[in-house]
Amino acid sequence: KNILLNSHKNPDADSVGGALAMNLVLTSMGKEVQIVCPDDLPAEFSFLLVQILQASASKVRRLSLLQVS
């Protein structure tokens, strides 16, 4: 029921978009999801977070983007 998604170091659009899309699918199935990113999310990808949350605010229970060292 608890799932951890991990993006790769120096995340690119594929890594970030894939993790966010998987998050939407899994949360819609009732799973608890956290996304871990080993580096800062590049500023040019911040629009992905906004669009995902706006498009599915009723389905997303929790979206956590954690940075780990």
Side-chain angles (χ1 to χ4, degrees):
K1 182 165 173 138
N2 296 315
I3 298 172
L4 180 67
L5 299 174
N6 184 36
S7 80
H8 57 72
K9 198 168 181 164
N10 298 316
D12 55 17
D14 288 341
S15 178
V16 174
L20 292 172
M22 185 60 74
N23 175 70
L24 289 176
V25 170
L26 293 169
T27 55
S28 73
M29 296 170 60
K31 308 298 182 187
E32 292 291 327
V33 179
Q34 287 194 345
I35 301 171
V36 177
C37 185
D39 290 319
D40 288 332
L41 184 66
E44 61 265 23
F45 300 145
S46 61
F47 76 94
L48 290 171
L49 294 172
V50 173
Q51 288 183 358
I52 291 288
L53 292 174
Q54 287 175 347
S56 62
S58 64
K59 292 182 182 176
V60 175
R61 289 195 297 229
R62 186 179 80 201
L63 173 62
S64 300
L65 183 61
L66 305 174
Q67 180 183 346
V68 295
S69 321

